[in-house]
Amino acid sequence: MMVLLMAATVTLSACSNKRPKRPYQKPDTLCVDSASYFRADTARGYSVLVRITAQYPTPVTGPLSASVASWVRSRLGEGTPPDTMDVHSVVDYYGREKFMSAFGGKGKPDLRFDGTVRLVAQRRSYVSFRFMLKQCAGGTPGLTTDVGVTFRRTDGMTFGWDLIRDTTTTAFHHLMREGVRSYFSTLLHEDEVSNISLAALLTSNDFNEEDEMALLKHFPLPKCQPYLSRHGMTFVYQPYEIAPYSAGAPQFTVPFEQIKPFLSRQGRKLIQKL
């Protein structure tokens, strides 16, 4: 039986006609609209599903919104939509492009692409966006991506690891270790995860005690850059990066008061007036 669900878009405005309560330094006040694309085809043994939900600057009025718009498009796919000012055009373009790409190779099409882009923080000095993707194709294991980025309001400049002054100190590695420990404590519903238990979760069975202690002293940093969320700095490890796939994507947020001593000069400036 053939099942074919055609593309659909839904939009939701995140700005109103009312004047903002707090005027910003620049006229490029970020407003976002949301649009969704969904299309699935299981005809003749096909297994293709594309779902995209994205928040996108509307209108694009200056350096901040232009920088955000460019980043969102870069996460959703390749090429440039005919109309980069309209959220419908952007989401439909990448949805169709991704859907049709499944039919370009040999064999029966097999693709699942489920991506979301959303605004996660909007403060006086910065805004942050997050991109989450679940993708698999051709029977390969699923790929999960979870990344974020921070934009400076005044000019749209992006920040990541450069928000941290020094990532090599023992104190910073301790901060990472305790953040991951808190993640597993919540995941496993345990009040406290011991050092030995944490090392066992993060290492393979052939690691010896010396290797485990070295791992705890020099804790691995996430490959993806951290970003400023509303209440602190968020760090995300991708699945398989430090733990088995069953552990998900270990992530945690360090409150501003705890992360502040580790911030670079620019990082401190961004959180100076919250």
Side-chain angles (χ1 to χ4, degrees):
M1 179 178 181
M2 178 176 178
V3 179
L4 179 61
L5 300 178
M6 301 304 294
T9 57
V10 180
T11 186
L12 175 63
S13 175
C15 292
S16 66
N17 293 326
K18 297 180 180 179
R19 296 182 61 184
K21 294 181 180 180
R22 179 191 296 168
Y24 296 106
Q25 293 177 323
K26 296 290 182 178
D28 188 18
T29 301
L30 186 70
C31 295
V32 297
D33 280 349
S34 300
S36 298
Y37 177 99
F38 177 80
R39 187 174 180 180
D41 192 344
T42 58
R44 298 182 295 278
Y46 298 166
S47 181
V48 181
L49 183 149
V50 175
R51 178 188 290 113
I52 296 176
T53 301
Q55 291 185 308
Y56 188 81
T58 305
V60 177
T61 57
L64 172 62
S65 52
S67 182
V68 171
S70 178
W71 184 84
V72 172
R73 296 196 303 270
S74 72
R75 306 313 306 188
L76 294 181
E78 299 179 355
T80 304
D83 184 358
T84 60
M85 298 286 285
D86 179 68
V87 64
H88 294 284
S89 173
V90 171
V91 172
D92 282 350
Y93 174 85
Y94 291 114
R96 291 194 302 267
E97 184 261 346
K98 186 60 64 176
F99 186 86
M100 294 309 298
S101 69
F103 295 85
K106 297 181 179 179
K108 293 182 178 180
D110 184 5
L111 170 70
R112 180 181 179 87
F113 182 95
D114 191 347
T116 302
V117 183
R118 64 185 181 90
L119 174 68
V120 293
Q122 185 164 198
R123 305 302 295 266
R124 185 175 182 179
S125 301
Y126 68 87
V127 299
S128 295
F129 276 72
R130 182 179 178 185
F131 172 67
M132 294 162 285
L133 170 66
K134 293 183 179 180
Q135 179 178 9
C136 58
T140 59
L143 171 67
T144 300
T145 302
D146 191 330
V147 297
V149 65
T150 298
F151 300 85
R152 185 164 58 195
R153 272 196 174 275
T154 53
D155 58 6
M157 185 175 179
T158 60
F159 293 90
W161 281 114
D162 47 359
L163 292 170
I164 305 296
R165 174 167 43 88
D166 186 359
T167 62
T168 65
T169 64
T170 301
F172 186 75
H173 282 265
H174 175 79
L175 194 71
M176 295 294 96
R177 183 186 69 186
E178 295 310 304
V180 172
R181 191 198 305 275
S182 68
Y183 170 83
F184 280 110
S185 178
T186 301
L187 181 69
L188 301 175
H189 304 289
E190 296 183 6
D191 293 336
E192 183 177 351
V193 177
S194 67
N195 282 349
I196 298 301
S197 297
L198 182 61
L201 287 166
L202 302 178
T203 61
S204 59
N205 294 329
D206 59 352
F207 269 55
N208 57 40
E209 184 176 349
E210 183 179 344
D211 294 326
E212 292 176 349
M213 295 309 296
L215 174 67
L216 294 175
K217 185 177 180 180
H218 303 286
F219 206 84
L221 303 180
K223 294 179 181 178
C224 292
Q225 61 188 5
Y227 61 92
L228 294 174
S229 48
R230 183 163 183 80
H231 301 293
M233 179 173 285
T234 298
F235 298 85
V236 182
Y237 293 85
Q238 305 305 301
Y240 292 121
E241 188 173 349
I242 60 170
Y245 185 79
S246 58
Q251 55 189 281
F252 55 92
T253 298
V254 181
F256 287 122
E257 287 304 313
Q258 293 183 30
I259 197 65
K260 189 174 181 179
F262 302 95
L263 293 181
S264 63
R265 182 177 63 87
Q266 185 55 59
R268 293 194 300 272
K269 287 182 65 176
L270 287 178
I271 70 168
Q272 188 174 16
K273 298 179 180 180
L274 295 176

